[in-house]
Amino acid sequence: MSLLLPLMMLMQVGPDPHVYPQTPLPAITQHRKDTTPPPPVTAPIAAPVLSDQMTACLTQGRRDADAGLVFARDWLARASAPEERAQPDQCLGLILSDRGDFAGAQAAFADAVAATPPSAPAKAVPLMAMAGNAALARGDGAAALDWFNRALAVRDFADAPARGAILADRAQAQVALGHYGDAAASLADARRAAPSDPAVWLLSATLARREQDLASAQGYIQTAAELNPRDPAIGVEAGVIAVLSGHDAAARKSWNSVVAVAPNSAEAQTARGYLAQLGLAPATVQASVPATMPLDHPSPPPTSPVGR
């Protein structure tokens, strides 16, 4: 989800927090498999140590996107060697993504990958993941899958949690293409590579629930909740799994917790809608999941996308 980090998140050193924007969902419907392609998710790639120029570029872009684009393009124009284009192209891609220009962002990230020295292929992996997420955000699942496969093929990339995040992103692309079995396999690999990443377990729970494997979904969402008990997206999904399993009281508890923890969030709006449905007479309530339920309750096209 992995899609892209907000610019301010890239100013941090260390793993980025997950972003789970979620669309409000319509009525819950009984035993209906969701075939709607999910929106992309922000991928949890560890934030790099930034150069002074990159810090200045991202800071400018966060304050004023237009000024940030001028900064990035001027920096790019001053590059005197191919390898000097990688960072300004990356900054350009992040700002374009934050503006919702995912086609432009994908092109900028692709240029950054091309500018990375062949002798250091691991440096290109986060850029490939960013290009893949930009492709996913613009609805091109096939291009996204190609980027994620390229990233995962780099053997010198030894960051297991980041690799797990890319595997989870690949699962998103595979779901968008209708390759549910492949997506389940990617998520199994992601859980092994990044067992402490709650986003991976949330994605796993949602895919299992969509495939009507409620026992597995319950196990996955329980692990996600243990890892991040205050994440509203996890609370929403936990409630959906509970109501599908016939545990309305547990569903109410999960959704009420979402409203209490993040009352102004999109997840809280979704939870309120579900709670209203459970408040109807039992004969009129159909327990299940809407066709618009995203694979991971996230984002983006992220609300504040810029690079993971």
Side-chain angles (χ1 to χ4, degrees), residues 110-277:
D111 288 345
V113 171
T116 303
S119 59
K123 291 183 178 180
V125 170
L127 299 168
M128 292 176 187
M130 292 176 195
N133 276 305
L136 199 54
R138 61 189 291 258
D140 191 343
L145 183 58
D146 181 64
W147 279 113
F148 296 137
N149 283 338
R150 285 180 61 184
L152 292 166
V154 177
R155 299 300 179 188
D156 292 342
F157 188 68
D159 185 334
R163 184 175 180 83
I166 299 169
L167 284 161
D169 285 342
R170 183 171 72 176
Q172 290 277 17
Q174 288 163 332
V175 166
L177 294 169
H179 303 163
Y180 295 102
D182 291 343
S186 290
L187 286 171
D189 288 341
R191 293 191 297 273
R192 286 188 286 270
S196 298
D197 186 346
V200 169
W201 294 95
L202 171 59
L203 283 164
S204 299
T206 309
L207 181 59
R209 181 263 299 158
R210 287 173 59 164
E211 293 295 285
Q212 300 181 20
D213 181 359
L214 297 180
S216 295
Q218 178 58 44
Y220 296 148
I221 203 65
Q222 182 172 338
T223 301
E226 290 168 355
L227 290 168
N228 192 351
R230 295 180 64 82
D231 186 329
I234 292 172
V236 169
E237 181 63 31
V240 171
I241 293 167
V243 81
L244 286 173
S245 302
H247 303 304
D248 288 5
R252 284 191 183 92
K253 183 176 179 180
S254 291
W255 293 332
N256 278 319
S257 72
V258 170
V259 174
V261 168
N264 298 320
S265 66
E267 291 86 353
Q269 184 177 351
T270 298
R272 290 187 187 98
Y274 284 161
L275 287 165
Q277 291 179 61

Side-chain angles (χ1 to χ4, degrees), residues 80-92:
S80 59
E83 60 270 19
E84 293 178 6
R85 299 177 61 87
Q87 285 202 4
D89 268 321
Q90 179 183 355
C91 185
L92 178 62

